[in-house]
Amino acid sequence: MKKFNKTVKRVGLVANTDKPSCPRLARQAVRLIQSQNRLVLADARTAELAGLQVETCPDTAALARQVDVIIIFGGDGTMLRVARDIAGARTPILGINTGALGFLTAVQAQQLPLALEQIWAGETELEFRPLMEARGLAQGKPYRKLALNDFVVTRGALPRLIELDVTVDGQTLTRYRADGLIVCSPTGSTAYSLAAGGAVVSPSAEVFTITPICAHTLSNRSVIVSLRSTIEVRVGSPRVETVLTADGQPPLRLASGEVVTIRRSRHSVALVHLAGGSFFDTLRRKLNWSGTNV
């Protein structure tokens, strides 16, 4: 963590306008920010659907180039989308949680005034999270995908096991027979990987987690490798549909023999945190860890 003590003069707003509370919160943010004589901008969709009378940018990538910080109203899905869209801009983002669990959107809606006060006073903190990238061929066509949470290679609609050969830095790990495989960053350890039995990983840990989904061999467990590693996943199932998804986005269909190459991206995302908060505080609160008396 490091202090985010930059003087903030221009604030960008992005909202998941499918959530009923987001437009109202965006309008509240405009009033609070403008009351401090700071400029508000928004992406075109947010401005239109929330009825904001502010300067607009065509998309979040353009918005990131024009502002000092972006405030996002929504859930972790909205945060993941913005993180991918602005990759390379390094503009800090602050998530206001209007979803359910929300590990990335750690600030609650009622804390919006407090969050803005801390930003003005230079009291918030920045945490840099690495993005991942996947490259390869999908049905013979080249692709490059970015993800903040995870890449998932999984079966299609038919409930059949797929076979995936995995290597790490050129060394054979194993052949999985499973419903699929999750390769996640430290940020993604509390998402699909956790639901599939993977470990909770501190965001500061420099590791990938490789987690099988419903593996046929009971001895198959999550494997943790260096974030500097290159992971290759080769599709070995000629008759079962196999797909690749990045952060849960629309899938790419893979052919038998095609290889997904996953490594750390050169891009990262800067998350704004309120002073005094921590990943472990969020973890205990979100997962309802109450502990025990001894």
Side-chain angles (χ1 to χ4, degrees):
M1 292 275 194
K2 74 172 188 177
K3 281 288 186 182
F4 178 42
N5 51 16
K6 178 180 179 179
T7 300
V8 173
K9 297 180 179 180
R10 301 165 65 89
V11 181
L13 301 182
V14 175
N16 180 347
T17 49
D18 292 332
K19 294 182 179 294
S21 61
C22 286
R24 174 183 56 81
L25 285 168
R27 291 190 290 270
Q28 179 188 4
V30 170
R31 293 193 296 270
L32 291 170
I33 296 166
Q34 289 180 339
S35 71
Q36 296 298 310
N37 296 316
R38 290 169 167 86
L39 182 64
V40 183
L41 298 87
D43 69 289
R45 179 174 174 81
T46 297
E48 178 184 0
L49 296 181
L52 306 182
Q53 301 300 312
V54 299
E55 184 177 335
T56 62
C57 295
D59 51 42
T60 51
L63 181 67
R65 294 191 292 268
Q66 298 295 323
V67 298
D68 301 311
V69 65
I70 296 176
I71 299 177
I72 301 169
F73 302 93
D76 280 359
T78 311
M79 291 283 285
L80 292 172
R81 174 178 65 82
V82 174
R84 292 191 304 271
D85 289 347
I86 69 171
R90 297 184 67 83
T91 304
I93 61 177
L94 170 68
I96 307 296
N97 185 29
T98 62
L101 203 56
F103 279 94
L104 294 173
T105 50
V107 177
Q108 302 305 305
Q110 63 270 21
Q111 294 178 295
L112 174 61
L114 171 64
L116 290 173
E117 289 174 6
Q118 288 195 9
I119 289 174
W120 311 148
E123 296 174 351
T124 54
E125 298 177 317
L126 286 184
E127 180 183 24
F128 293 90
R129 301 282 186 94
L131 290 165
M132 314 158 61
E133 72 170 35
R135 294 176 182 263
L137 298 177
Q139 300 289 304
K141 297 180 180 179
Y143 64 85
R144 174 179 175 269
K145 293 284 187 179
L146 290 177
L148 178 58
N149 265 0
D150 51 42
F151 291 109
V152 181
V153 181
T154 187
R155 62 176 174 81
L158 291 178
R160 296 181 181 177
L161 296 178
I162 58 175
E163 295 184 349
L164 301 170
D165 295 312
V166 179
T167 65
V168 178
D169 294 330
Q171 301 181 46
T172 299
L173 175 58
T174 190
R175 166 171 282 201
Y176 290 101
R177 297 188 71 241
D179 280 354
L181 189 73
I182 305 164
V183 179
C184 77
S185 69
T187 300
S189 75
T190 52
Y192 194 3
S193 178
L194 180 62
V200 175
V201 178
S202 168
S204 61
E206 297 277 309
V207 297
F208 286 118
T209 303
I210 304 171
T211 304
I213 305 168
C214 298
H216 188 261
T217 302
L218 296 181
S219 60
N220 284 153
R221 292 291 183 266
S222 283
V223 176
I224 294 175
V225 302
S226 169
L227 199 60
R228 296 186 297 274
S229 294
T230 298
I231 301 166
E232 293 187 339
V233 181
R234 180 182 297 273
V235 178
S237 308
R239 294 181 297 276
V240 182
E241 182 183 29
T242 304
V243 298
L244 168 69
T245 59
D247 283 347
Q249 296 306 295
L252 289 175
R253 186 173 178 179
L254 303 174
S256 178
E258 290 181 333
V259 177
V260 181
T261 301
I262 299 170
R263 56 172 58 92
R264 179 177 185 163
S265 168
R266 61 187 178 87
H267 300 305
S268 61
V269 60
L271 302 182
V272 180
H273 292 282
L274 298 187
S278 77
F279 169 73
F280 300 110
D281 290 337
T282 302
L283 192 67
R284 289 194 302 272
R285 185 175 70 254
K286 298 292 185 180
L287 298 184
N288 295 314
W289 285 358
S290 58
T292 184
N293 295 322
V294 292

